[in-house]
DNA sequence: CCGGATCCCAACAGATACTG
DNA sequence: CAGTATCTGTTGGGATCCGG
């Protein structure tokens, strides 16, 4: 039952395409990764994801919240407090993202070398 | 030896940041995923990564080639033949990407439900 | 013909300033 | 503190053109 593998990110019309962009997008991936260690407030998240603007962070978090990967918890105290955390699905995706990021960072030395070689060969 | 964990994607100035964007970017991720099954020519790749424009595919592939994750092999026959394939590092990253994509697609039913619930609650 | 660079326009990202 | 509004610069994409 319910064994429909109808979702294919390689198809441009598949609903999974925009979700993949939310998850692997420029800021979405880093936001998910940052939340893997535990809940964070908006500005904590902003400090952790170095370089992100308020607008893009808010936008990325809204997208992830809509996809059911992140939960936004508002404490209506003063000062206002808003905590973001991962849902179970979000946590799994964040883990896979961190796995990828970890491999990428350990590969950086060889990647840097490749870039230098490439750039030297393309000094047109 | 050489156990410098100096690379951190969460820092905006780290050289790993642009590489992460090449790998997880909109078209880079799909290109890497498509190449995981074996080498492909430019237009085969273009057909596989449904919806990508020529320009963006060429651009994404150049970035991945510069990072040493993809190899561009030119056969100067007629008609011209250009094959793209993964390097060992690229293959590992592609595998992790496909793992993430696989989990995401199997999670799609619950994600769709979440989106509908969210959209209903936000009918301002 | 195939691979890809260019041009031009539309959409999106970012800095700043302002509101609940 | 946690965002929205606005205004502007950068980036993405389709049509078109060029080299092998």
């Amino acid at each position: 039952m319910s064994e429909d593998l109808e979702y294919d990110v390689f198809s441009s019309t598949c609903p999974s395409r925009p979700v993949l962009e939310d998850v692997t997008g420029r800021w979405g991936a880093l936001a998910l990764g940052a939340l893997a260690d535990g809940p964070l407030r908006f500005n904590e998240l902003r400090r952790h994801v170095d370089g992100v603007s308020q607008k893009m962070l808010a936008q990325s978090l809204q997208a992830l919240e809509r996809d059911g990967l992140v939960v936004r918890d508002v404490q209506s105290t003063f000062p206002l407090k808003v905590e973001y955390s991962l849902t179970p699905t979000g946590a799994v995706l964040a883990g896979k993202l961190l796995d990828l990021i970890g491999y990428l960072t350990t590969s950086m030395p060889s990647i840097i070398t490749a870039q230098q070689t490439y750039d030297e060969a393309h000094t047109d």
Side-chain angles (χ1 to χ4, degrees), chain A:
Chain A
M1 56 200 81
S2 78
E3 204 43 51
D4 287 338
L5 286 179
E6 51 185 335
Y7 295 105
D8 175 19
V9 288
F10 291 101
S11 165
S12 61
T13 56
C14 182
S16 64
R17 191 62 92 74
V19 178
L20 181 67
E21 282 165 24
D22 295 338
V23 172
T24 63
R26 190 169 190 183
W27 303 117
L30 294 174
L32 281 177
L35 289 173
D37 292 331
L40 290 173
R41 300 179 59 174
F42 187 82
N43 280 330
E44 291 175 327
L45 209 36
R46 200 178 165 214
R47 236 170 293 120
H48 205 303
V49 181
D50 188 37
V52 70
S53 67
Q54 294 173 175
K55 182 180 151 186
M56 292 318 297
L57 182 56
Q59 197 170 297
S60 303
L61 287 170
Q62 278 174 23
L64 294 172
E65 190 197 358
R66 191 177 99 95
D67 296 336
L69 305 176
V70 160
V71 176
R72 181 171 176 273
D73 189 38
V74 187
Q75 236 98 332
S76 293
T77 61
F78 187 83
L80 198 58
K81 184 176 176 180
V82 181
E83 271 205 344
Y84 292 90
S85 55
L86 297 176
T87 63
T89 304
V92 174
L93 288 173
K96 293 184 182 301
L97 232 23
L98 287 179
D99 181 34
L100 189 148
I101 288 171
Y103 185 80
L104 190 142
T105 52
T106 63
S107 305
M108 278 308 292
S110 69
I111 289 174
I112 297 278
T113 305
Q115 290 177 341
Q116 289 168 350
T117 307
Y118 184 95
D119 291 346
E120 281 164 23
H122 291 238
T123 314
D124 301 340

